[in-house]
Amino acid sequence: MDKVLENRICLLIKEMTLEEKTGMIHGAGLFRTAGVERIHIPPLKMSDGPMGVRSEFVNDQWMPVGTPDDYVTYCPSNSAIAMTWNRKLARNAGKVLGEEARGRGKDVILAPGINIKRTPACGRNFEYISEDPRLTSELAVPIVRGIETSDVAACVKHFAMNNQETERLWVNVEADERTMREIYFPAFQAVVQKAGAKSIMGSYNLIRGTHVCENKDIMGTVLRKEWGFDGTIISDWGAVHTTKGTAEGPLDIEMSVTSDFDDYFLANPLISEIRKGHIDEACVDEKVRNILRMMVRLHMIELTEVPDSDGKKKILVQKNKNRKAGSYNTAKHRFEVLKVARESITLLKNEDRKLPLDPAIDKVLVIGQNAVISQAMGGGSAEIKALYEITPLLGISKFLGGNCEVRYARGYDIPAKKESDHNWQEDSLDASKAAAETAKETEDSARLRKEAVELAKEYKHVIYVGGLNHDQDLEGQDRADLTLPYGQDRLITELLEVRPDMTIVMLAGSPVSMKPWADRAKAIVWMSYSGMEGGTALAEVLFGAVNPSGKLAETLPEEIPECFRKEAYFPGRPLTDEEKKHMNAHLTQTYAEGIFVGYRYYEKNRIPVQFCFGHGLSYTDFTYDNLKIEEIPSKARANGFDVQLQVRNVGALEGKETVQLYLGEKTVSPENPVKELKAFEKICLRPRETKTVLLKITMEDFMHYDEAAGTWRLKHGDYRIYVGSSLQDIQLTQDITI
Ligand code: BGC
């Protein structure tokens, strides 16, 4: 702690009136707080979001200002960044976002979203990284560091246990301590302790009966005390429900979706409670302290000590002239997001090596709406006013050039959505209820299907680009099932009958079921919302200019797991009479599956999946050899292990491989997962090149949280180390005894 700074902040706060201080702790606009003009404290300016800096909004209305200078670089979603398994690219993606935010004059960027993907049906999964806490942490840390290099705070969201959209404001989460510590907390802890994240967003939901934004256990004991977080905690928009509870709790800034800023819980109602003596003003001081500390760290302001006319010390607030200026829409940013997009594209299936396609073909048919629709302007608060967006069709056409005839057919229809009188943002808080039904085939779709199938007969090369869009991958709603919308299953099945070699590209932010046709398909490519250059990257991969190296960051199951199909578990059960007495909630959601989330669940219950966690093919082949495990020497006890192995590229093309290390008990006990990701490294190998890969595991990696003792515990016994190319493609194993 910087004592000089803390002293100056204290002195400054003493000079401020209650009104001035209160202005700093609640929204005075939809995306800003009030500054204190008298003493030159600027307002805090915030913006969404995860896929680029959102367009400018009118201060008190959910209406875009409509200026022409808020077009930005459209960055890949976290679901895309995650599939790169590349820490350096994650950092660069964060850096682009931070620079753009600063370039647009922002102080806080409301990103990244790092909630664990508990169910494949969650509407916001595209904003999140993974179902696995280690992969999430390893990528979230560089994203946050990247953002914050530009004197902008990352507001990491949504802490904590915000894993469904259904009733997101009113769902009470009940999870045991081990589950929270092992699955849902680690990434947040990592961004606080390893990346030094400057702000955290408090989520909408309740945990164990109390809304997170006033939950002293979660925000106070865990975040502030245990993890030592001294940055700013900002509420999600409309997540605060009381004055006293919130004022006396660890949250610093209340933000919301309505324009009655003076009536926010931490505005006039708070001033009045303090004046009546019901709340101690020191609560406000504590919040202002956290905000000022962040402002100094962001180089927004500097505090200097000057003597006043009585010779007493006075604090002068000045603009810090050295603050980085940022930049947006630079050529470098576009190149960086292209690099991420390239490595995010994941080759799921390539029977008979159908891919890559020959770039010298003279005609190709592209089918499917995801080949042409722009995705940037969707997804809820993740929407972006992109400078441009290279769609898959545009990417393919520009890659192939003028000698190839590229024909396009829609294949299915996306029914227009009903126009709402309100803005999405205002509606979303009420609308976060029902799971969205899978959109069915319309009459138009049936006609488009027939047309596409007829056309496919004429074209030897057919590329299908379908999947989901932001009507499904959307904030404020979950999906009812994993079925592809708009009758795509039937369309793909019929197309495969006439073109069994067809390349299928699934563009989606969360899993879809491919069960009706995956067995028959020869080439399947998976991609997510991969930013403004997504179409360029896709074409490069399909035609072999780029060797794919993406790996799934989440399991692609055949359907929503059994445990989420019972109402009691998802979306939740009605409150009991007892709960109603002390809870401001609509549902209780019990995380009955505990730590068995994602692949931990499928492995434990031996449920076959379509494509497993960590899966992703290359156009070249790799072999794994020479596994050596050595204890890291230490005087007292083993510090961990160095795991070394050799990977060789035995194919004819340069390629990248992500070597994954999983750890499990040799004889798996029912309370533990079969195996868990503990380390990974992405390497690039030229043809016939061999590289030695070093993966480190620490003793902490062997530990599980002991609920009864309230601490992490190491169980002695035999463990198995698995190294491979995916969760299921394990190439080398070795047992060790602890
Ligand atoms: C979302 C946040 C977002 C905020 C501001 C909320 O509805 O949950 O992720 O940052 O709105 O747009």
Side-chain angles (χ1 to χ4, degrees), residues 291-541:
I291 299 166
L292 286 171
R293 187 185 301 120
M294 180 174 82
M295 287 182 163
V296 171
R297 287 178 180 165
L298 292 177
H299 303 126
M300 291 172 70
I301 51 171
E302 356 179 61
L303 307 182
T304 36
E305 251 177 50
V306 286
D308 70 3
S309 45
D310 309 335
K312 279 204 244 131
K313 279 193 220 155
K314 190 178 165 352
I315 299 301
L316 190 67
V317 184
Q318 280 169 311
K319 190 172 168 179
N320 187 331
K321 300 231 170 57
N322 295 322
R323 189 176 191 197
K324 292 191 180 141
S327 57
Y328 63 113
N329 288 323
T330 66
K332 185 160 191 292
H333 290 178
R334 295 192 278 280
F335 184 53
E336 290 300 342
V337 300
L338 170 61
K339 288 202 286 188
V340 175
R342 281 177 180 148
E343 288 201 21
S344 74
I345 291 171
T346 302
L347 180 61
L348 296 182
K349 191 170 177 187
N350 196 14
E351 226 173 86
D352 306 331
R353 297 208 182 244
K354 288 288 165 203
L355 289 176
L357 300 168
D358 179 1
I361 51 176
D362 53 17
K363 52 186 221 166
V364 61
L365 172 64
V366 179
I367 302 172
Q369 294 263 18
N370 272 355
V372 294
I373 60 172
S374 304
Q375 308 281 0
M377 218 31 199
S381 59
E383 65 185 18
I384 283 304
K385 197 166 144 189
L387 181 65
Y388 64 79
E389 179 176 346
I390 307 284
T391 60
L393 182 68
L394 184 52
I396 291 169
S397 303
K398 82 183 171 86
F399 183 90
L400 291 174
N403 293 342
C404 179
E405 177 210 329
V406 182
R407 177 86 184 255
Y408 172 68
R410 279 161 67 197
Y412 56 89
D413 174 45
I414 301 179
K417 278 199 290 186
K418 278 184 228 123
E419 280 293 316
S420 155
D421 297 343
H422 290 99
N423 176 281
W424 166 87
Q425 198 96 18
E426 281 167 307
D427 282 351
S428 77
L429 300 189
D430 294 333
S432 55
K433 288 184 188 107
E437 286 298 322
T438 302
K440 299 276 171 353
E441 190 184 60
T442 62
E443 261 178 47
D444 259 353
S445 274
R447 181 178 50 79
L448 293 169
R449 171 168 47 79
K450 284 185 196 124
E451 269 172 29
V453 174
E454 279 314 303
L455 264 181
K457 291 179 188 160
E458 293 168 28
Y459 286 77
K460 189 161 165 266
H461 299 289
V462 179
I463 302 171
Y464 180 84
V465 190
L468 304 176
N469 58 50
H470 286 303
D471 287 350
Q472 295 86 33
D473 283 318
L474 177 63
E475 181 173 340
Q477 70 174 35
D478 298 311
R479 281 182 299 156
D481 53 49
L482 304 188
T483 310
L484 275 172
Y486 319 121
Q488 290 181 75
D489 282 333
R490 179 160 176 200
L491 169 64
I492 297 173
T493 309
E494 290 185 15
L495 286 170
L496 282 172
E497 271 161 27
V498 297
R499 279 290 157 226
D501 286 356
M502 173 172 82
T503 300
I504 299 175
V505 179
M506 282 287 112
L507 193 166
S510 41
V512 296
S513 172
M514 297 179 249
K515 206 174 167 185
W517 44 264
D519 279 352
R520 258 168 294 162
K522 294 220 154 92
I524 309 177
V525 171
W526 183 262
M527 72 185 286
S528 204
Y529 305 106
S530 35
M532 67 205 304
E533 289 288 349
T536 309
L538 175 66
E540 289 173 345
V541 167

Side-chain angles (χ1 to χ4, degrees), residues 83-85 343-350 524-526 541 547-554 556 610-622 624 655-660 662 682 724-729 731:
M83 288 192 287
T84 69
W85 288 62
E343 288 201 21
S344 74
I345 291 171
T346 302
L347 180 61
L348 296 182
K349 191 170 177 187
N350 196 14
I524 309 177
V525 171
W526 183 262
V541 167
N547 191 353
S549 66
K551 297 271 186 187
L552 291 177
E554 65 198 289
L556 299 184
Q610 299 179 115
F611 296 100
C612 72
F613 178 81
H615 172 72
L617 305 171
S618 166
Y619 294 150
T620 189
D621 295 300
F622 303 100
Y624 285 58
K656 288 182 177 159
E657 169 69 326
T658 299
V659 180
Q660 303 161 37
Y662 297 87
K682 190 167 190 173
S725 174
S726 77
L727 180 84
Q728 287 175 7
D729 185 7
Q731 299 282 331

Side-chain angles (χ1 to χ4, degrees), residues 30-31 47-50 54 57 62 109-111 113 124 127-128 155 157-158 162 165 168-169 201-204 235-238 255-257 380-382 424-425 428-429 475-476:
L30 295 172
F31 285 101
S47 174
D48 282 302
R54 203 173 174 188
F57 276 85
W62 288 102
I109 181 86
L110 307 171
R124 286 189 96 168
E127 290 187 58
Y128 303 145
C155 184
K157 60 197 193 182
H158 309 84
N162 181 181
E165 291 301 286
R168 62 179 170 158
L169 262 75
M201 187 185 289
S203 59
Y204 282 129
S235 78
D236 200 342
W237 271 229
M255 296 303 292
S256 193
V257 293
S381 59
W424 166 87
Q425 198 96 18
S428 77
L429 300 189
E475 181 173 340

